[in-house]
Amino acid sequence: MEMMTRRSFLKITGAMALAVGAAGALSGCDAVDNAVGSFFQQYGDQKGHAADSAGSFMYALSNQYQSWSNGEELVLLAVEFQVKNLTNETVTFKASDITRATIDGHKAKVVLDPKKAANVSGLGKYTPLFDANGTKTYGPGKDLNKAEAGYICFQPVYDEGEAPVNKNWGSLEFTFKLKVNTSTFVMNRNADGSVTSARK
């Protein structure tokens, strides 16, 4: 499984745009946008990365994550979410657009202030995707060399008497609405700590 670094994310979307560039002379813009998005989804499927698109608005999991624990209990899981917006539109993604999330079958919620919610002393390079109001805005653009990334922070939620998620968690699943799509991404953690992910 190859890590989808920001550089590879940019290279692949750039190559896809060149591959379908000739189609623009023969068909409408929507056809080109859909072709770019389709190539991006196929790349994700082949490389073990959850990836989806709404035309040429593309988004994926990089398979980079960070978890925090209290003893044997998982208290916070942050996963990197990448977006490349090649449309002429401004797109807003809200934390409330994540309609369902589970970690190892337990309910989970998106937290906007990880330090407060999980008593995490420092996030370091793991910059949360959403601002304090629970939003992230992606401006319009055609820049093949620009992608945006941030970490979505999930915290397990327990019913009374429910056993906690172990720090060596196994699976994260979340469903969200973005642009015109509803997508479900699943990330699975392997025994060696590496992860793969996929669209469900």
Side-chain angles (χ1 to χ4, degrees):
M1 183 274 296
E2 295 181 18
M3 186 71 73
M4 186 184 285
T5 63
R6 193 170 303 185
R7 179 176 294 178
S8 65
F9 186 91
L10 295 171
K11 279 178 65 178
I12 283 131
T13 51
M16 288 185 302
L18 290 173
V20 299
L26 303 174
S27 58
C29 292
D30 287 346
V32 175
D33 288 348
N34 291 334
V36 171
S38 178
F39 279 128
F40 184 69
Q41 293 170 18
Q42 291 173 26
Y43 172 83
D45 293 342
Q46 292 171 4
K47 298 298 184 180
H49 290 268
D52 208 348
S53 65
S56 54
F57 183 89
M58 295 166 283
Y59 44 96
L61 293 180
S62 70
N63 289 353
Q64 297 187 62
Y65 75 94
Q66 177 63 38
S67 60
W68 289 264
S69 59
N70 181 10
E72 294 299 306
E73 179 182 345
L74 179 74
V75 296
L76 188 71
L77 176 60
V79 296
E80 189 180 51
F81 190 82
Q82 298 178 329
V83 167
K84 177 177 275 294
N85 184 9
L86 297 180
T87 74
N88 295 317
E89 305 173 29
T90 295
V91 179
T92 299
F93 187 24
K94 299 179 181 178
S96 59
D97 291 331
I98 299 176
T99 57
R100 180 179 179 273
T102 60
I103 302 174
D104 289 353
H106 295 264
K107 290 182 291 186
K109 65 180 180 180
V110 176
V111 295
L112 303 180
D113 187 348
K115 294 181 182 179
K116 181 178 179 181
N119 197 26
V120 173
S121 59
L123 294 176
K125 66 179 182 178
Y126 305 103
T127 305
L129 179 73
F130 300 112
D131 64 19
N133 296 316
T135 61
K136 170 63 179 176
T137 300
Y138 300 98
K142 294 293 184 182
D143 186 355
L144 295 175
N145 296 312
K146 183 178 181 182
E148 296 187 62
Y151 283 79
I152 304 176
C153 300
F154 294 95
Q155 184 178 47
V157 178
Y158 304 112
D159 294 326
E160 186 175 352
E162 191 175 11
V165 176
N166 188 272
K167 66 180 181 180
N168 296 316
W169 60 279
S171 179
L172 165 71
E173 179 175 323
F174 63 104
T175 300
F176 58 99
K177 298 176 182 177
L178 185 51
K179 210 168 184 290
V180 297
N181 282 1
T182 297
S183 304
T184 297
F185 283 178
V186 180
M187 175 180 280
N188 293 308
R189 181 180 180 274
N190 304 312
D192 64 0
S194 65
V195 297
T196 57
S197 58
R199 286 177 297 139
K200 189 173 180 180

